[in-house]
Amino acid sequence: MHLTKEEEKTLRGGDGETLRKMIEILVALGDIYGADALIPIKSSQVSGVSYKTIGDAGLEWISDLKGTVKVPTVLNPAGMDMNNWERLGIDPEFAAKQIEIINAFGRLGIDPKCTCTPYYLNGFDVQYKDHVAWGESSAISYANSVLGARTNREGGPSALAAALLGKTPNYGYHRVENRRPNFEIKVDFETRGSDYGALGYIAGKLAGSNIPLFKLKSVPTRDEMKMLGAAMAASGAVALYHIENVTPEMKDKEFVYEKPSESASIERKEIDAIYNAPSDVPNDIITVGCPHCSLEELQKIKTLLEGKTVIKEFWIFTSRELANQNKELISDIEKSGAKVVCDTCMVVSPAADHFKCMRVNSGKAYAYVPGMCGLKATYGSIETCVKDATGEI
Ligand code: F3S
């Protein structure tokens, strides 16, 4: 990989030990994957934030770093609501470690906003063809597919290295020739709402790490595409997908590709099987907000909960910024007894680990909750989640 004189100096340690370590990570990745150079990025999102997932070794690694990020950088969800961690029964020792982690990131100039939907944040705009270095799998998928920006699947250290250097190696999804679809998926029936999470759960298993091109009968909203991509990144390793006539590259006449030679089709009965999959234990907790809820999703939940009281734990995850901007909406939702939780989620927090079965409306949560939290999971639409929480089913 070609390095400029300035970058070579950084690699020799001329800009300090932290930047030497950081450029070493990027050069190693660039050499493995055949990058030609380091290219500037517009923003970074660093994963590996929850104390549940990185532990003491991760905390120590971050704490040793010095310097300031060169581009706007935010964080993936942490292991708890940073302002209100007692409410979900987080252990004080866990909380102390989590606070240390966030403070260590803060010392590097990172904005301590912990969300997997950074694209909703003010001032964190991403445009078509922008290069970014994001670390959370659903955010990566959204950036690449829905926004048409360009990011590889960054790990915590490589996203942090990119943030501190303001650059990333030019390989993988940063290059247009690696963004062409190679797996066609046909869906010959109408899809809406949580159908997209179930569809993504099935499609991810079929596609693996390929780049699917969907031929859909319905036109999904951005929130529906968010659910589709999140699920495919969890049940498979899909970091970029296209939807015919919908996603930005499919509308770009300069984006040339051949019809994929591999293909599959998904049938309605496969989606229904996910909705109807039985559990031998009843749901004792309901969660929505994987990925973090948008304003439209919060408004829908408010409407569905109006005049009702929950009889089971019902947790709704969103970003703190959105919650702060919509205090009345959050308070209306919480009148039902549901809890709106910020900075974290059902998967990266240990808060739900003692429950037995979680109802979710997210294909990603459905894929991860059993393995990462040790609970069973059942799947339902947002309407079903509310009915379950309020005892209507
Ligand atoms: Fe976000 Fe947690 Fe789901 S990080 S995408 S809410 S598993």
Side-chain angles (χ1 to χ4, degrees), residues 62-123:
I62 300 156
S63 302
D64 283 347
L65 302 176
K66 293 186 179 62
T68 307
V69 291
K70 297 217 172 42
V71 291
T73 303
V74 293
L75 297 172
N76 197 41
M80 62 187 199
D81 186 311
M82 297 304 295
N83 288 5
N84 203 358
W85 51 268
E86 295 94 336
R87 184 160 73 146
L88 298 193
I90 297 288
D91 175 72
E93 269 177 47
F94 180 98
K97 296 282 191 183
Q98 187 63 71
I99 291 164
E100 266 191 73
I101 292 171
I102 302 298
N103 288 346
F105 280 125
R107 284 195 295 276
L108 299 172
I110 294 176
D111 188 348
K113 288 178 180 142
C114 302
T115 180
C116 50
T117 54
Y119 39 86
Y120 296 148
L121 296 174
N122 282 335

Short mmCIF file of all heavy atoms in Angstrom, two decimals, residues 62-123:
data_model
loop_
_atom_site.label_atom_id
_atom_site.label_comp_id
_atom_site.label_asym_id
_atom_site.label_seq_id
_atom_site.Cartn_x
_atom_site.Cartn_y
_atom_site.Cartn_z
N ILE A 62 -8.23 0.70 25.51
CA ILE A 62 -8.71 2.06 25.15
C ILE A 62 -8.07 3.10 26.07
O ILE A 62 -7.66 4.17 25.63
CB ILE A 62 -10.25 2.15 25.25
CG1 ILE A 62 -10.90 1.14 24.30
CG2 ILE A 62 -10.76 3.55 24.93
CD1 ILE A 62 -12.31 0.75 24.71
N SER A 63 -7.96 2.76 27.34
CA SER A 63 -7.44 3.73 28.33
C SER A 63 -5.99 4.12 28.04
O SER A 63 -5.55 5.21 28.41
CB SER A 63 -7.53 3.15 29.74
OG SER A 63 -8.86 2.82 30.02
N ASP A 64 -5.24 3.23 27.40
CA ASP A 64 -3.82 3.51 27.12
C ASP A 64 -3.63 4.47 25.93
O ASP A 64 -2.53 4.95 25.71
CB ASP A 64 -3.08 2.20 26.77
CG ASP A 64 -2.78 1.40 28.04
OD1 ASP A 64 -2.93 1.98 29.13
OD2 ASP A 64 -2.44 0.21 27.92
N LEU A 65 -4.68 4.69 25.15
CA LEU A 65 -4.52 5.51 23.93
C LEU A 65 -4.54 7.00 24.25
O LEU A 65 -5.21 7.43 25.20
CB LEU A 65 -5.64 5.18 22.94
CG LEU A 65 -5.74 3.71 22.51
CD1 LEU A 65 -6.96 3.50 21.62
CD2 LEU A 65 -4.48 3.24 21.80
N LYS A 66 -3.83 7.76 23.43
CA LYS A 66 -3.79 9.23 23.61
C LYS A 66 -4.03 9.89 22.26
O LYS A 66 -3.70 9.30 21.23
CB LYS A 66 -2.42 9.66 24.14
CG LYS A 66 -2.15 9.15 25.54
CD LYS A 66 -0.85 9.70 26.12
CE LYS A 66 -0.66 9.18 27.53
NZ LYS A 66 -0.54 7.70 27.60
N GLY A 67 -4.57 11.10 22.31
CA GLY A 67 -4.77 11.82 21.05
C GLY A 67 -6.20 12.27 20.90
O GLY A 67 -7.01 12.15 21.82
N THR A 68 -6.51 12.78 19.70
CA THR A 68 -7.85 13.32 19.44
C THR A 68 -8.31 12.87 18.07
O THR A 68 -7.53 12.92 17.11
CB THR A 68 -7.81 14.87 19.45
OG1 THR A 68 -7.20 15.30 20.66
CG2 THR A 68 -9.19 15.48 19.34
N VAL A 69 -9.55 12.45 17.99
CA VAL A 69 -10.07 11.99 16.69
C VAL A 69 -10.07 13.14 15.69
O VAL A 69 -10.27 14.29 16.06
CB VAL A 69 -11.49 11.38 16.83
CG1 VAL A 69 -11.44 10.07 17.58
CG2 VAL A 69 -12.47 12.34 17.46
N LYS A 70 -9.88 12.79 14.42
CA LYS A 70 -9.78 13.83 13.38
C LYS A 70 -11.09 14.04 12.62
O LYS A 70 -11.19 14.95 11.80
CB LYS A 70 -8.68 13.45 12.39
CG LYS A 70 -7.32 13.39 13.05
CD LYS A 70 -6.22 13.89 12.14
CE LYS A 70 -4.88 14.03 12.82
NZ LYS A 70 -4.49 12.97 13.72
N VAL A 71 -12.06 13.17 12.85
CA VAL A 71 -13.36 13.31 12.17
C VAL A 71 -14.46 13.10 13.22
O VAL A 71 -14.21 12.48 14.26
CB VAL A 71 -13.53 12.26 11.04
CG1 VAL A 71 -12.60 12.54 9.88
CG2 VAL A 71 -13.36 10.84 11.55
N PRO A 72 -15.69 13.60 12.95
CA PRO A 72 -16.78 13.35 13.90
C PRO A 72 -16.92 11.85 14.17
O PRO A 72 -17.00 11.06 13.24
CB PRO A 72 -18.01 13.90 13.18
CG PRO A 72 -17.46 14.90 12.21
CD PRO A 72 -16.11 14.40 11.80
N THR A 73 -16.91 11.49 15.44
CA THR A 73 -16.94 10.07 15.82
C THR A 73 -17.91 9.86 16.96
O THR A 73 -17.91 10.63 17.94
CB THR A 73 -15.52 9.61 16.25
OG1 THR A 73 -14.61 9.87 15.17
CG2 THR A 73 -15.48 8.13 16.59
N VAL A 74 -18.75 8.84 16.83
CA VAL A 74 -19.68 8.48 17.90
C VAL A 74 -19.49 7.01 18.23
O VAL A 74 -18.66 6.33 17.62
CB VAL A 74 -21.16 8.76 17.50
CG1 VAL A 74 -21.41 10.25 17.36
CG2 VAL A 74 -21.52 8.02 16.22
N LEU A 75 -20.27 6.53 19.20
CA LEU A 75 -20.08 5.17 19.72
C LEU A 75 -21.29 4.29 19.44
O LEU A 75 -22.42 4.76 19.31
CB LEU A 75 -19.86 5.24 21.23
CG LEU A 75 -18.60 5.98 21.69
CD1 LEU A 75 -18.62 6.15 23.21
CD2 LEU A 75 -17.34 5.26 21.24
N ASN A 76 -21.04 3.01 19.44
CA ASN A 76 -22.09 2.00 19.39
C ASN A 76 -22.78 1.95 20.76
O ASN A 76 -22.23 2.45 21.74
CB ASN A 76 -21.38 0.66 19.10
CG ASN A 76 -22.32 -0.40 18.62
OD1 ASN A 76 -23.19 -0.11 17.82
ND2 ASN A 76 -22.14 -1.61 19.09
N PRO A 77 -23.96 1.35 20.88
CA PRO A 77 -24.59 1.24 22.20
C PRO A 77 -23.67 0.63 23.28
O PRO A 77 -22.89 -0.29 23.02
CB PRO A 77 -25.79 0.34 21.94
CG PRO A 77 -26.17 0.70 20.54
CD PRO A 77 -24.86 0.89 19.82
N ALA A 78 -23.81 1.20 24.48
CA ALA A 78 -23.06 0.74 25.65
C ALA A 78 -23.87 -0.34 26.37
O ALA A 78 -24.98 -0.69 25.93
CB ALA A 78 -22.82 1.93 26.56
N GLY A 79 -23.36 -0.80 27.49
CA GLY A 79 -24.04 -1.87 28.22
C GLY A 79 -25.16 -1.40 29.12
O GLY A 79 -25.78 -2.22 29.83
N MET A 80 -25.43 -0.10 29.12
CA MET A 80 -26.50 0.40 30.01
C MET A 80 -26.91 1.82 29.58
O MET A 80 -26.17 2.48 28.85
CB MET A 80 -26.00 0.44 31.46
CG MET A 80 -24.82 1.39 31.63
SD MET A 80 -24.11 1.28 33.27
CE MET A 80 -23.22 2.85 33.32
N ASP A 81 -28.06 2.25 30.08
CA ASP A 81 -28.49 3.64 29.94
C ASP A 81 -27.55 4.46 30.81
O ASP A 81 -27.47 4.24 32.02
CB ASP A 81 -29.95 3.76 30.43
CG ASP A 81 -30.53 5.13 30.18
OD1 ASP A 81 -29.86 6.13 30.53
OD2 ASP A 81 -31.66 5.22 29.66
N MET A 82 -26.80 5.37 30.20
CA MET A 82 -25.74 6.06 30.94
C MET A 82 -26.29 7.02 32.00
O MET A 82 -25.58 7.36 32.94
CB MET A 82 -24.82 6.81 29.98
CG MET A 82 -24.06 5.92 29.00
SD MET A 82 -23.08 4.62 29.78
CE MET A 82 -21.85 5.56 30.67
N ASN A 83 -27.54 7.46 31.87
CA ASN A 83 -28.10 8.40 32.85
C ASN A 83 -28.99 7.72 33.87
O ASN A 83 -29.31 8.30 34.89
CB ASN A 83 -28.96 9.47 32.15
CG ASN A 83 -28.12 10.45 31.38
OD1 ASN A 83 -26.92 10.28 31.29
ND2 ASN A 83 -28.76 11.46 30.82
N ASN A 84 -29.47 6.53 33.53
CA ASN A 84 -30.53 5.94 34.34
C ASN A 84 -30.31 4.43 34.44
O ASN A 84 -31.21 3.65 34.19
CB ASN A 84 -31.88 6.25 33.64
CG ASN A 84 -33.03 6.22 34.59
OD1 ASN A 84 -32.86 5.93 35.77
ND2 ASN A 84 -34.23 6.48 34.08
N TRP A 85 -29.08 4.04 34.77
CA TRP A 85 -28.75 2.61 34.70
C TRP A 85 -29.40 1.79 35.81
O TRP A 85 -29.64 0.59 35.65
CB TRP A 85 -27.24 2.39 34.67
CG TRP A 85 -26.45 3.08 35.75
CD1 TRP A 85 -25.87 4.31 35.66
CD2 TRP A 85 -26.15 2.58 37.04
NE1 TRP A 85 -25.23 4.62 36.83
CE2 TRP A 85 -25.37 3.57 37.70
CE3 TRP A 85 -26.43 1.40 37.74
CZ2 TRP A 85 -24.89 3.41 39.01
CZ3 TRP A 85 -25.95 1.24 39.03
CH2 TRP A 85 -25.20 2.24 39.65
N GLU A 86 -29.72 2.43 36.93
CA GLU A 86 -30.32 1.67 38.04
C GLU A 86 -31.68 1.11 37.66
O GLU A 86 -32.09 0.06 38.15
CB GLU A 86 -30.52 2.55 39.30
CG GLU A 86 -29.25 3.06 39.93
CD GLU A 86 -28.87 4.43 39.43
OE1 GLU A 86 -29.29 4.80 38.31
OE2 GLU A 86 -28.13 5.14 40.13
N ARG A 87 -32.41 1.82 36.76
CA ARG A 87 -33.79 1.45 36.47
C ARG A 87 -33.92 0.03 35.92
O ARG A 87 -34.91 -0.64 36.17
CB ARG A 87 -34.39 2.47 35.49
CG ARG A 87 -35.85 2.20 35.21
CD ARG A 87 -36.55 3.40 34.66
NE ARG A 87 -36.19 3.69 33.29
CZ ARG A 87 -37.01 4.20 32.40
NH1 ARG A 87 -38.26 4.50 32.73
NH2 ARG A 87 -36.63 4.44 31.18
N LEU A 88 -32.91 -0.43 35.16
CA LEU A 88 -33.00 -1.80 34.63
C LEU A 88 -32.17 -2.77 35.46
O LEU A 88 -31.88 -3.88 35.03
CB LEU A 88 -32.55 -1.85 33.16
CG LEU A 88 -33.37 -1.05 32.15
CD1 LEU A 88 -32.99 -1.46 30.72
CD2 LEU A 88 -34.86 -1.20 32.33
N GLY A 89 -31.80 -2.36 36.67
CA GLY A 89 -31.15 -3.28 37.60
C GLY A 89 -29.70 -3.61 37.27
O GLY A 89 -29.22 -4.70 37.58
N ILE A 90 -29.00 -2.67 36.66
CA ILE A 90 -27.57 -2.90 36.34
C ILE A 90 -26.76 -2.91 37.64
O ILE A 90 -26.95 -2.07 38.52
CB ILE A 90 -27.07 -1.79 35.38
CG1 ILE A 90 -27.81 -1.84 34.04
CG2 ILE A 90 -25.55 -1.85 35.19
CD1 ILE A 90 -27.47 -2.98 33.13
N ASP A 91 -25.83 -3.82 37.70
CA ASP A 91 -24.97 -3.95 38.87
C ASP A 91 -24.02 -2.73 38.98
O ASP A 91 -23.42 -2.33 37.97
CB ASP A 91 -24.16 -5.25 38.64
CG ASP A 91 -23.14 -5.47 39.71
OD1 ASP A 91 -23.55 -5.79 40.82
OD2 ASP A 91 -21.93 -5.31 39.42
N PRO A 92 -23.87 -2.12 40.17
CA PRO A 92 -23.02 -0.92 40.29
C PRO A 92 -21.58 -1.14 39.81
O PRO A 92 -20.96 -0.23 39.27
CB PRO A 92 -23.06 -0.59 41.79
CG PRO A 92 -24.30 -1.24 42.29
CD PRO A 92 -24.54 -2.45 41.44
N GLU A 93 -21.05 -2.34 40.01
CA GLU A 93 -19.66 -2.59 39.55
C GLU A 93 -19.57 -2.54 38.03
O GLU A 93 -18.63 -2.02 37.46
CB GLU A 93 -19.19 -3.97 40.02
CG GLU A 93 -18.51 -3.92 41.36
CD GLU A 93 -18.11 -5.30 41.84
OE1 GLU A 93 -17.54 -6.07 41.05
OE2 GLU A 93 -18.43 -5.60 43.01
N PHE A 94 -20.60 -3.12 37.38
CA PHE A 94 -20.67 -3.07 35.91
C PHE A 94 -20.77 -1.61 35.48
O PHE A 94 -20.06 -1.16 34.56
CB PHE A 94 -21.89 -3.87 35.43
CG PHE A 94 -22.07 -3.90 33.94
CD1 PHE A 94 -21.63 -4.99 33.19
CD2 PHE A 94 -22.67 -2.84 33.26
CE1 PHE A 94 -21.78 -5.02 31.80
CE2 PHE A 94 -22.82 -2.84 31.88
CZ PHE A 94 -22.38 -3.95 31.15
N ALA A 95 -21.63 -0.86 36.18
CA ALA A 95 -21.85 0.55 35.81
C ALA A 95 -20.55 1.34 35.91
O ALA A 95 -20.22 2.14 35.03
CB ALA A 95 -22.92 1.16 36.70
N ALA A 96 -19.78 1.09 36.98
CA ALA A 96 -18.52 1.84 37.16
C ALA A 96 -17.57 1.56 35.99
O ALA A 96 -16.93 2.48 35.46
CB ALA A 96 -17.88 1.44 38.49
N LYS A 97 -17.48 0.31 35.58
CA LYS A 97 -16.60 -0.05 34.46
C LYS A 97 -17.10 0.59 33.16
O LYS A 97 -16.32 1.07 32.35
CB LYS A 97 -16.55 -1.58 34.27
CG LYS A 97 -15.95 -2.31 35.44
CD LYS A 97 -14.43 -2.21 35.42
CE LYS A 97 -13.82 -3.17 36.42
NZ LYS A 97 -12.38 -3.06 36.49
N GLN A 98 -18.42 0.56 32.97
CA GLN A 98 -18.99 1.13 31.74
C GLN A 98 -18.72 2.64 31.67
O GLN A 98 -18.38 3.17 30.61
CB GLN A 98 -20.50 0.84 31.68
CG GLN A 98 -21.13 1.26 30.37
CD GLN A 98 -20.57 0.49 29.17
OE1 GLN A 98 -20.82 -0.69 29.01
NE2 GLN A 98 -19.79 1.17 28.33
N ILE A 99 -18.83 3.30 32.83
CA ILE A 99 -18.56 4.75 32.86
C ILE A 99 -17.09 5.00 32.51
O ILE A 99 -16.75 5.91 31.75
CB ILE A 99 -18.95 5.34 34.23
CG1 ILE A 99 -20.48 5.30 34.38
CG2 ILE A 99 -18.42 6.77 34.43
CD1 ILE A 99 -21.01 5.49 35.79
N GLU A 100 -16.20 4.16 33.04
CA GLU A 100 -14.76 4.30 32.72
C GLU A 100 -14.52 4.18 31.22
O GLU A 100 -13.72 4.91 30.64
CB GLU A 100 -13.97 3.18 33.41
CG GLU A 100 -13.39 3.54 34.76
CD GLU A 100 -12.42 2.46 35.21
OE1 GLU A 100 -11.31 2.36 34.65
OE2 GLU A 100 -12.79 1.68 36.12
N ILE A 101 -15.20 3.22 30.59
CA ILE A 101 -15.02 3.02 29.14
C ILE A 101 -15.45 4.28 28.37
O ILE A 101 -14.73 4.78 27.51
CB ILE A 101 -15.83 1.79 28.65
CG1 ILE A 101 -15.23 0.50 29.21
CG2 ILE A 101 -15.87 1.73 27.11
CD1 ILE A 101 -16.06 -0.75 28.97
N ILE A 102 -16.64 4.79 28.72
CA ILE A 102 -17.14 5.96 27.99
C ILE A 102 -16.22 7.16 28.22
O ILE A 102 -15.93 7.94 27.30
CB ILE A 102 -18.60 6.29 28.40
CG1 ILE A 102 -19.52 5.09 28.14
CG2 ILE A 102 -19.12 7.55 27.71
CD1 ILE A 102 -19.63 4.65 26.69
N ASN A 103 -15.72 7.31 29.45
CA ASN A 103 -14.80 8.42 29.74
C ASN A 103 -13.50 8.29 28.94
O ASN A 103 -12.95 9.27 28.45
CB ASN A 103 -14.48 8.48 31.24
CG ASN A 103 -15.68 8.99 32.03
OD1 ASN A 103 -16.63 9.53 31.45
ND2 ASN A 103 -15.67 8.78 33.33
N ALA A 104 -13.02 7.04 28.80
CA ALA A 104 -11.78 6.83 28.04
C ALA A 104 -11.99 7.22 26.58
O ALA A 104 -11.13 7.86 25.97
CB ALA A 104 -11.34 5.37 28.15
N PHE A 105 -13.14 6.86 26.01
CA PHE A 105 -13.44 7.30 24.63
C PHE A 105 -13.55 8.83 24.57
O PHE A 105 -13.09 9.45 23.63
CB PHE A 105 -14.75 6.67 24.15
CG PHE A 105 -14.61 5.23 23.67
CD1 PHE A 105 -15.40 4.22 24.21
CD2 PHE A 105 -13.72 4.90 22.66
CE1 PHE A 105 -15.29 2.90 23.76
CE2 PHE A 105 -13.60 3.59 22.20
CZ PHE A 105 -14.39 2.59 22.75
N GLY A 106 -14.19 9.40 25.58
CA GLY A 106 -14.37 10.86 25.62
C GLY A 106 -13.04 11.59 25.61
O GLY A 106 -12.89 12.63 24.97
N ARG A 107 -12.04 11.04 26.30
CA ARG A 107 -10.71 11.69 26.34
C ARG A 107 -10.06 11.72 24.96
O ARG A 107 -9.16 12.50 24.71
CB ARG A 107 -9.79 10.94 27.33
CG ARG A 107 -10.11 11.25 28.80
CD ARG A 107 -8.98 10.82 29.72
NE ARG A 107 -8.79 9.38 29.74
CZ ARG A 107 -9.48 8.52 30.50
NH1 ARG A 107 -10.41 8.98 31.32
NH2 ARG A 107 -9.25 7.22 30.45
N LEU A 108 -10.53 10.86 24.06
CA LEU A 108 -10.00 10.86 22.68
C LEU A 108 -10.79 11.81 21.77
O LEU A 108 -10.60 11.81 20.55
CB LEU A 108 -10.03 9.44 22.11
CG LEU A 108 -9.20 8.39 22.87
CD1 LEU A 108 -9.45 7.00 22.33
CD2 LEU A 108 -7.71 8.72 22.78
N GLY A 109 -11.69 12.58 22.37
CA GLY A 109 -12.47 13.55 21.59
C GLY A 109 -13.70 12.94 20.94
O GLY A 109 -14.34 13.59 20.09
N ILE A 110 -14.06 11.72 21.32
CA ILE A 110 -15.23 11.07 20.72
C ILE A 110 -16.49 11.60 21.40
O ILE A 110 -16.54 11.74 22.62
CB ILE A 110 -15.13 9.53 20.88
CG1 ILE A 110 -13.93 9.03 20.07
CG2 ILE A 110 -16.41 8.84 20.49
CD1 ILE A 110 -13.65 7.55 20.22
N ASP A 111 -17.50 11.89 20.59
CA ASP A 111 -18.78 12.33 21.12
C ASP A 111 -19.46 11.10 21.76
O ASP A 111 -19.72 10.12 21.07
CB ASP A 111 -19.61 12.84 19.92
CG ASP A 111 -20.89 13.52 20.35
OD1 ASP A 111 -21.24 13.39 21.53
OD2 ASP A 111 -21.52 14.15 19.49
N PRO A 112 -19.71 11.13 23.07
CA PRO A 112 -20.17 9.90 23.72
C PRO A 112 -21.64 9.57 23.45
O PRO A 112 -22.38 9.18 24.35
CB PRO A 112 -19.91 10.17 25.21
CG PRO A 112 -19.99 11.64 25.33
CD PRO A 112 -19.57 12.24 24.01
N LYS A 113 -22.08 9.73 22.22
CA LYS A 113 -23.45 9.32 21.85
C LYS A 113 -23.37 7.84 21.49
O LYS A 113 -22.61 7.46 20.60
CB LYS A 113 -23.94 10.13 20.66
CG LYS A 113 -24.24 11.56 21.05
CD LYS A 113 -24.68 12.38 19.86
CE LYS A 113 -24.97 13.80 20.31
NZ LYS A 113 -24.55 14.79 19.33
N CYS A 114 -24.13 7.02 22.19
CA CYS A 114 -24.04 5.57 22.02
C CYS A 114 -25.27 5.08 21.26
O CYS A 114 -26.33 4.86 21.86
CB CYS A 114 -23.98 4.89 23.39
SG CYS A 114 -22.60 5.44 24.39
N THR A 115 -25.13 4.92 19.97
CA THR A 115 -26.31 4.50 19.19
C THR A 115 -25.89 3.71 17.95
O THR A 115 -24.82 3.96 17.38
CB THR A 115 -27.18 5.71 18.78
OG1 THR A 115 -28.29 5.23 18.02
CG2 THR A 115 -26.41 6.74 17.97
N CYS A 116 -26.75 2.77 17.57
CA CYS A 116 -26.50 2.02 16.33
C CYS A 116 -27.22 2.68 15.15
O CYS A 116 -27.22 2.12 14.05
CB CYS A 116 -26.95 0.58 16.49
SG CYS A 116 -28.60 0.42 17.15
N THR A 117 -27.83 3.84 15.38
CA THR A 117 -28.45 4.58 14.27
C THR A 117 -27.82 5.98 14.19
O THR A 117 -28.52 6.99 14.32
CB THR A 117 -29.98 4.69 14.46
OG1 THR A 117 -30.24 5.25 15.75
CG2 THR A 117 -30.66 3.34 14.34
N PRO A 118 -26.50 6.06 13.98
CA PRO A 118 -25.84 7.38 13.96
C PRO A 118 -26.38 8.26 12.85
O PRO A 118 -26.28 9.49 12.93
CB PRO A 118 -24.36 7.04 13.75
CG PRO A 118 -24.34 5.67 13.17
CD PRO A 118 -25.54 4.97 13.71
N TYR A 119 -26.99 7.63 11.83
CA TYR A 119 -27.50 8.40 10.69
C TYR A 119 -28.72 9.25 11.06
O TYR A 119 -29.14 10.08 10.27
CB TYR A 119 -27.83 7.46 9.51
CG TYR A 119 -28.47 6.14 9.94
CD1 TYR A 119 -29.83 6.03 10.12
CD2 TYR A 119 -27.67 5.02 10.19
CE1 TYR A 119 -30.40 4.83 10.52
CE2 TYR A 119 -28.24 3.82 10.58
CZ TYR A 119 -29.60 3.73 10.75
OH TYR A 119 -30.17 2.54 11.15
N TYR A 120 -29.30 9.08 12.25
CA TYR A 120 -30.37 9.97 12.70
C TYR A 120 -29.83 11.19 13.44
O TYR A 120 -30.59 12.10 13.77
CB TYR A 120 -31.33 9.27 13.67
CG TYR A 120 -32.12 8.10 13.12
CD1 TYR A 120 -32.46 7.03 13.95
CD2 TYR A 120 -32.56 8.07 11.80
CE1 TYR A 120 -33.19 5.95 13.47
CE2 TYR A 120 -33.28 6.99 11.32
CZ TYR A 120 -33.60 5.93 12.16
OH TYR A 120 -34.32 4.87 11.71
N LEU A 121 -28.53 11.18 13.79
CA LEU A 121 -27.99 12.25 14.64
C LEU A 121 -27.81 13.54 13.86
O LEU A 121 -27.38 13.53 12.70
CB LEU A 121 -26.63 11.83 15.21
CG LEU A 121 -26.62 10.62 16.16
CD1 LEU A 121 -25.18 10.24 16.51
CD2 LEU A 121 -27.42 10.90 17.42
N ASN A 122 -28.09 14.66 14.52
CA ASN A 122 -27.84 15.96 13.91
C ASN A 122 -26.35 16.14 13.67
O ASN A 122 -25.54 15.80 14.54
CB ASN A 122 -28.30 17.08 14.84
CG ASN A 122 -29.79 17.24 14.79
OD1 ASN A 122 -30.42 16.89 13.78
ND2 ASN A 122 -30.37 17.73 15.87
N GLY A 123 -25.99 16.66 12.51
CA GLY A 123 -24.59 16.94 12.23
C GLY A 123 -23.78 15.71 11.89
O GLY A 123 -22.56 15.78 11.79
#
